[in-house]
Amino acid sequence: MKVAAELGYVVNRAAQKLSGGRSHIIGIVATDLEHPFVSAVATGAREAAWTAGYEVLVYAQLRSEKRPTGGVLQLLRQISDGIIAALPMEYGYLEDLAELSIPVVTIDQRGNKAEFPSIAADSYGGAKSAILHLAELGHKRIALIGGDERLGSARDRRRAYNETMAQLGFRRDSALVAPGDYSQAGGYAAAQKLLALSSRPTAILAANDVSAFGAMTAIREAGLRIPEDISVVGFDDIPASSLVSPALTTVRQPIYQMGRSAVNTLLALMARIEPATQVVSLPTELVIRQSTAAPKS
């Protein structure tokens, strides 16, 4: 150890792994690291990895790229013991990851690839609780700003909206459902379309908080007040949701815990322990704040 210190020796992680050992590095492949959800998942994963004696290497996948390049995936295989994939799985991502022959855990990918365990939240139950909350306030014309339909969470939230509205006996109106792509710009554009309807909604459920922020901007620009003229509910409960004005009513999902759970599941796979279930669904909770109220009579 003394000689190593004098020579400035540093462990070569890749060589260490190639020699049959572990690199003690977990790779994360994700899109849009600036997105609060993705960054929170990565933070939770980093904390859990550090506790277990692992480091985290993050590869930021650009939305304009169709798939990670072969060089990137091979690099992850060479220097990491396992990968957490937090991105929409299109263009052969899953097939490429499967070929790496190392443990993989996905975030919110239920139903897309059964052999990869997935960590998700109860999107269906969360969206249903939001609709029921608005209905209890007296809203009947409730709109949905959808998410990225490539993700299981967006599909579950849309399904919960359709089924809960039907269960409540509210008239089905396809014009009340607008795509939002989980982005602020998408939420803004979707809200503009909803507000332009001859019979506009009295409440909007946005598939995530970021798109809800965009919707709130569009509502204010239209000269309307929140919640006096229109109520808004988000999904995620990112830190900014309690800081906007009015504070956003939202469905809280345990984002940090999703990252931590992904690491724990990955560590189990690396130890050749099969998970008890392919999909870990964490509970959600409705957080009522100031952006929802009874509709005008």
Side-chain angles (χ1 to χ4, degrees):
M1 295 301 296
K2 179 180 178 182
V3 171
E6 291 174 350
L7 295 175
Y9 171 77
V10 178
V11 175
N12 186 315
R13 299 282 190 175
Q16 184 182 53
K17 187 165 189 270
L18 288 172
S19 67
R22 291 189 182 277
S23 65
H24 289 277
I25 292 177
I26 290 174
I28 297 179
V29 183
T31 56
D32 195 3
L33 289 179
E34 295 182 354
H35 194 288
F37 176 86
V38 176
S39 61
V41 167
T43 298
R46 182 189 63 193
E47 293 173 354
W50 183 84
T51 300
Y54 279 75
E55 297 177 22
V56 170
L57 177 67
V58 180
Y59 170 68
Q61 167 75 16
L62 298 177
R63 285 182 176 269
S64 59
E65 297 178 18
K66 287 188 175 181
R67 64 202 299 174
T69 63
V72 167
L73 293 177
Q74 289 304 318
L75 175 64
L76 288 172
R77 182 182 66 83
Q78 290 174 11
I79 67 175
S80 64
D81 295 327
I83 294 176
I84 296 172
L87 73 171
M89 292 300 168
E90 284 192 339
Y91 311 115
Y93 291 149
L94 292 176
E95 287 76 6
D96 288 347
L97 290 173
E99 292 177 0
L100 298 182
S101 298
I102 62 174
V104 175
V105 174
T106 63
I107 301 293
D108 186 24
Q109 300 301 327
R110 70 181 70 187
N112 287 342
K113 197 76 172 178
E115 64 262 33
F116 289 148
S118 181
I119 310 300
D122 182 11
S123 288
Y124 184 95
K128 181 173 183 177
S129 68
I131 296 295
L132 292 177
H133 165 64
L134 293 171
E136 289 171 359
L137 290 173
H139 294 278
K140 293 183 178 180
R141 194 159 175 79
I142 304 170
L144 172 70
I145 295 178
D148 187 335
E149 287 287 322
R150 295 175 297 176
L151 293 168
S153 60
R155 297 191 296 271
D156 284 349
R157 291 166 200 179
R158 175 172 50 81
R159 182 167 60 88
Y161 168 83
N162 290 334
E163 293 180 0
T164 306
M165 292 286 283
Q167 291 166 5
L168 292 169
F170 295 163
R171 185 174 65 87
R172 180 179 176 83
D173 187 348
S174 59
L176 291 178
V177 179
D181 193 34
Y182 278 158
S183 68
Q184 189 161 347
Y188 177 84
Q192 284 186 315
K193 293 180 181 179
L194 294 171
L195 296 176
L197 296 173
S198 56
S199 178
R200 68 169 183 252
T202 62
I204 294 176
L205 168 60
N208 70 343
D209 290 345
V210 173
S211 57
F213 297 158
M216 294 171 78
T217 299
I219 292 169
R220 283 191 289 264
E221 288 183 358
L224 301 172
R225 298 170 299 166
I226 306 169
E228 291 85 355
D229 298 311
I230 186 166
S231 291
V232 179
V233 181
F235 206 112
D236 284 343
D237 194 28
I238 60 176
S241 64
S242 63
L243 302 177
V244 294
S245 180
L248 182 65
T249 293
T250 186
V251 177
R252 175 182 296 156
Q253 59 176 340
I255 308 176
Y256 289 97
Q257 184 58 39
M258 291 173 70
R260 298 183 66 88
S261 182
V263 169
N264 293 334
T265 302
L266 192 61
L267 292 173
L269 290 175
M270 284 156 34
R272 301 187 182 279
I273 300 174
E274 290 298 318
T277 175
Q278 284 295 96
V279 177
V280 177
S281 183
L282 302 177
T284 55
E285 175 190 0
L286 179 66
V287 180
I288 300 174
R289 297 195 178 102
Q290 288 74 52
S291 67
T292 52
K296 287 183 176 180
S297 58

